[in-house]
């Protein structure tokens, strides 16, 4: 029979032609096995996502540790690749690795992910070089680490879905999703604490957790689903990896300065990469309709719940992905210095002040996952996305020097809306596909989510820089000249790309001292003027209005994305359909 996807399935939920994994016969398992599977996969997801954000908040310590000047020509590229490289790899590989899990065993690929991730963490902590060579070592091993993370992400949801009955899947997937997404926020605080001691500690922390998880996974997890003997869709893999890779790499270079432009979107290399990426993805779609054993089961999109759930997930991920980045810059570059915090301490406190976002997610995610098992998913997913959109409207209306309690309430609301949506939506997606294709479906779901995160940083950052570029140069020049800086020096400082100013705030560095230090002007100014320029108040006050202009554009875009995601969620059909076993 068929479930509407066009993929034949036997009455037991196993695809026709499938057979047990090597040496294992799927059958009844002890009731406690499902909790073992949930615990281990939750640990794996938490470890993978903590490491994504722990690097973001630890960038100042990393740059100091490898003696890398963030303002030297080309060094912004290193910073972006340390962040975007991980996201790009996970976005490109999760479908392939999910499909591979369907073929050779989900647990086998998942367990290997623990090993790869742990070994890469060891290599990252022993970076032997400094400067550009040290940065390239970190970027290369971050890519290897992302390979391990992709193996974990691609198969964890499928392992849980196989282990739990339909009436408990929402709760189980909710816990797993909460652990994964909360890891992004826990990593901010953990990174601030560990990097204050030693930047290498942000990678050391993975090693004992990875060793424990690896041993536990190999000893406890079992193949519970059938697997299919199938060839690898090489052309499909090449087309998808090449298309996604080219798009995300081009976005990474597009948000960097090019020639005399504030960003690189007019660069021939970027334009060619974007066009080539789109062409390869179109070719990939054609190939997948013609091969007997495709990597990307386009037939799954005939199921309305699967298609609408993934569309909503992609749009919500674009809305959410760049939020963390924007809030960190807002706190570190403006709000914290204006409230007396040193630039060097700002990363740690930014992570602490973002905890309401995590708390909101932690409270609503498991609860709504549990309730969606009983009452259906559509009310929670659509309602959560509308709450999500409302929080962006609130942030848009918030003054740049806000009252913290208003800010905390709004980001908590954002976390609540995200939690209401994420767990029920994942449960609906995974429950709507045949058992034999859950690895591929999990990879496809992760691809939409990870691609949305990477796209979001590119889109949001470009919008922010565009907003700053229209106002910051004039404001910066006027502010410097008002403190006695010569017109030629002020004009030169104001002509530097806004991206440098944004990254200085992001890295917790006083940008005025960086901009004027090499000129020697600070030593020629009256002591009072020099103190004002390099103090905690001057620069944050100076950029507040231009930055807020950029934030309004960013949050308005996020609101629109959230509303579109809510509309897509409504299209999933009968809210009780996903409860049918």
């Amino acid at each position: 029979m068929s479930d509407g996807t066009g993929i034949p399935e036997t009455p037991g939920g196993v695809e026709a032609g499938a057979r047990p994994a090597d040496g294992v016969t799927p059958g009844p398992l002890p009731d406690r096995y499902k909790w073992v599977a949930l615990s281990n996969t939750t640990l794996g997801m938490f470890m993978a996502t903590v490491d994504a954000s722990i690097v973001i908040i630890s960038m100042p310590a990393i740059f100091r540790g490898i003696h890398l000047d963030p303002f030297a020509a080309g060094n912004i590229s290193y910073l972006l690749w340390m962040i975007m490289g991980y996201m790009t790899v996970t976005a490109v590989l999760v479908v392939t690795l999910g499909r591979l899990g369907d073929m050779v065993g989900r647990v086998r690929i998942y367990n290997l992910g623990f090993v790869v991730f742990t070994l890469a963490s060891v290599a990252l902590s022993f970076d032997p070089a400094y400067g550009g060579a040290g940065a390239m070592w970190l970027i290369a091993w971050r890519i290897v680490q992302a390979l391990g993370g992709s193996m974990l992400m691609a198969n964890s949801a499928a392992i849980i879905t196989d282990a739990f009955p339909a009436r408990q899947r929402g709760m189980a997937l909710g816990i797993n999703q909460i652990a994964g997404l909360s890891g992004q926020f826990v990593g901010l605080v953990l990174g601030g604490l560990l990097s204050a001691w030693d930047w290498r500690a942000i990678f050391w922390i993975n090693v004992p957790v990875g060793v424990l998880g690896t041993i536990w996974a190999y000893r406890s997890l079992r193949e519970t689903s059938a697997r299919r003997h199938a060839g690898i869709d090489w052309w499909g893999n090449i087309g998808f990896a090449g298309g996604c890779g080219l798009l995300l790499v081009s976005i990474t270079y597009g948000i960097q300065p090019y020639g005399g432009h504030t960003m690189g979107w007019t660069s021939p290399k970027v334009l060619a990469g974007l066009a080539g990426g789109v062409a390869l993805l179109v070719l990939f779609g054609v190939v997948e309709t013609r091969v007997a054993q495709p990597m990307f089961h386009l037939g799954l999109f005939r199921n309305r719940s699967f298609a609408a759930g993934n569309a909503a997930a992609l749009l919500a991920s674009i809305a959410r992905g760049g939020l963390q980045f924007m809030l960190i810059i807002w706190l570190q570059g403006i709000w914290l210095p204006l409230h007396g915090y040193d630039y060097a301490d700002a990363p740690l406190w930014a992570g602490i002040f973002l905890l309401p976002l995590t708390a909101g997610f932690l409270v609503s995610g498991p609860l709504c996952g549990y309730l969606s098992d009983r009452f259906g998913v559509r009310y929670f997913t659509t309602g959560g996305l509308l709450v999500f959109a409302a929080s962006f409207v609130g942030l848009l209306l918030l003054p740049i020097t806000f009252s913290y309690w208003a800010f905390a309430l709004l980001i908590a609301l954002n976390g609540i809306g995200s939690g209401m949506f994420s767990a029920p939506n994942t449960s609906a997606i995974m429950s709507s596909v045949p058992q034999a294709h859950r690895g591929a479906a999990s990879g496809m779901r992760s691809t939409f989510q990870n691609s949305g995160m990477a796209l979001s940083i590119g889109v949001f950052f470009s919008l922010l820089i565009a907003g700053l570029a229209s106002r910051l140069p004039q404001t910066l020049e006027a502010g410097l000249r008002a403190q006695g800086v010569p017109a030629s020096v002020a004009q030169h400082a104001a002509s530097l790309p806004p991206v440098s100013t944004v990254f200085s705030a992001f890295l917790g560095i006083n940008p005025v001292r960086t901009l004027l230090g090499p000129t020697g002007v600070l030593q020629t100014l009256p002591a009072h003027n020099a103190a004002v320029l390099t103090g905690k108040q001057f620069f944050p006050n100076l950029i507040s209005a231009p930055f807020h202009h950029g934030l309004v554009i960013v949050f308005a875009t996020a609101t629109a994305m959230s509303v579109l995601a809510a509309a897509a969620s409504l299209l999933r059909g009968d809210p009780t359909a996903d409860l049918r076993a």
Side-chain angles (χ1 to χ4, degrees), residues 42 137 149 215 228 316 330 361 401 430 449 455 489 492 495 576:
T42 296
W137 174 280
I215 296 172
R228 302 174 66 237
W330 191 355
F361 192 87
T401 53
M430 295 304 298
Q449 181 172 299
L455 284 169
V489 176
H492 174 71
S495 68
T576 64

Side-chain angles (χ1 to χ4, degrees), residues 88-392:
T88 299
V89 171
T90 54
V92 167
L93 292 183
V94 284
V95 171
T96 300
L97 294 169
R99 173 66 172 152
L100 195 60
D102 287 338
M103 293 167 56
V104 304
R106 292 159 195 164
V107 170
R108 180 179 297 178
I109 299 299
Y110 175 86
N111 291 351
L112 182 60
F114 253 125
V115 175
V116 173
F117 193 96
T118 304
L119 292 177
S121 298
V122 173
L124 283 162
S125 68
F126 288 102
D127 188 348
Y130 294 97
M136 289 304 298
W137 174 280
L138 293 178
I139 291 168
W141 281 104
R142 281 281 286 170
I143 289 173
V144 176
Q145 190 182 50
L147 172 62
S150 298
M151 293 177 177
L152 297 172
M153 294 178 191
N155 292 282
S156 62
I159 290 171
I160 291 172
T161 305
D162 288 341
F164 279 84
R167 59 186 174 81
Q168 292 181 317
R169 279 179 197 149
M171 175 274 298
L173 289 166
I175 292 172
N176 188 261
Q177 283 280 293
I178 298 313
L181 291 177
S182 65
Q184 296 176 8
F185 307 113
V186 172
L188 297 176
V189 180
L190 195 60
L193 290 170
L194 292 175
S195 63
W197 169 45
D198 190 316
W199 70 268
R200 298 176 192 271
I202 68 171
F203 301 116
W204 292 336
I205 193 68
N206 292 325
V207 177
V209 178
V211 170
L212 170 65
T214 301
I215 296 172
W216 184 17
Y218 273 102
R219 288 177 60 89
S220 302
L221 296 183
R222 293 171 54 186
E223 298 288 0
T224 62
S225 64
R227 71 174 175 83
R228 302 174 66 237
H229 276 298
I232 296 178
D233 174 18
W234 290 110
W235 287 113
N237 277 274
I238 292 170
F240 183 78
C244 279
L246 271 176
L247 282 177
L248 295 176
V249 167
S250 299
I251 288 170
T252 302
Y253 283 108
I255 59 181
Q256 299 178 50
Y258 167 72
H261 303 280
T262 57
M263 289 181 287
W265 295 112
T266 57
S267 164
K269 180 171 64 175
V270 170
L271 293 174
L274 293 173
V278 170
L280 281 174
L281 288 178
V282 170
L283 179 63
F284 163 75
V286 173
V287 167
E288 295 304 276
T289 62
R290 295 170 183 258
V291 296
Q293 297 168 335
M295 153 196 162
F296 210 103
H297 282 288
L298 298 180
L300 293 175
F301 288 96
R302 296 174 190 165
N303 183 301
R304 189 164 63 168
S305 181
F306 182 83
N310 276 299
L314 175 63
L315 291 166
S317 187
I318 294 173
R320 181 181 61 239
L323 172 68
Q324 188 181 88
F325 203 64
M326 297 298 112
L327 294 181
I328 290 173
I329 296 173
W330 191 355
L331 288 171
Q332 291 184 181
I334 297 177
W335 195 86
L336 286 168
L338 287 178
H339 287 76
Y341 293 86
D342 290 331
Y343 274 95
D345 297 330
L348 171 60
W349 286 105
I352 292 172
F353 284 135
L354 287 173
L355 281 176
L357 183 61
T358 308
F361 192 87
L362 287 172
V363 170
S364 68
L367 176 62
C368 292
Y370 170 77
L371 292 175
S372 70
D373 287 334
R374 300 185 60 188
F375 302 110
V377 301
R378 189 169 60 172
Y379 301 124
F380 293 96
T381 55
T382 304
L385 288 167
L386 292 176
V387 171
F388 194 53
S391 71
F392 282 116

Side-chain angles (χ1 to χ4, degrees), residues 23-45:
V24 178
T25 301
L29 292 166
D31 188 63
R32 70 181 186 86
Y33 174 78
K34 61 188 178 185
W35 302 113
V36 172
L38 175 61
S39 301
N40 190 276
T41 55
T42 296
L43 176 66
M45 286 293 293

Side-chain angles (χ1 to χ4, degrees), residues 486-574:
S488 60
V489 176
Q491 187 175 16
H492 174 71
S495 68
L496 294 176
V499 66
S500 299
T501 303
V502 171
F503 275 119
S504 67
F506 176 65
L507 291 171
I509 298 170
N510 189 329
V512 175
R513 186 181 297 278
T514 303
L515 290 171
L516 299 182
T519 68
V521 167
L522 287 174
Q523 288 73 31
T524 66
L525 295 175
H528 171 73
N529 296 69
V532 168
L533 287 170
T534 58
K536 299 173 184 176
Q537 303 288 317
F538 175 77
F539 184 73
N541 276 318
L542 191 70
I543 68 169
S544 290
F547 184 78
H548 189 258
H549 176 65
L551 275 184
V552 167
I553 298 172
V554 165
F555 289 142
T557 304
T559 302
M561 290 288 183
S562 303
V563 172
L564 286 174
S569 180
L570 276 175
L571 296 176
R572 72 175 68 246
D574 179 3

Side-chain angles (χ1 to χ4, degrees), residues 429-444:
I429 291 172
M430 295 304 298
S431 297
S432 67
V433 300
Q435 185 187 54
H437 290 279
R438 284 177 184 158
S442 179
M444 290 156 80

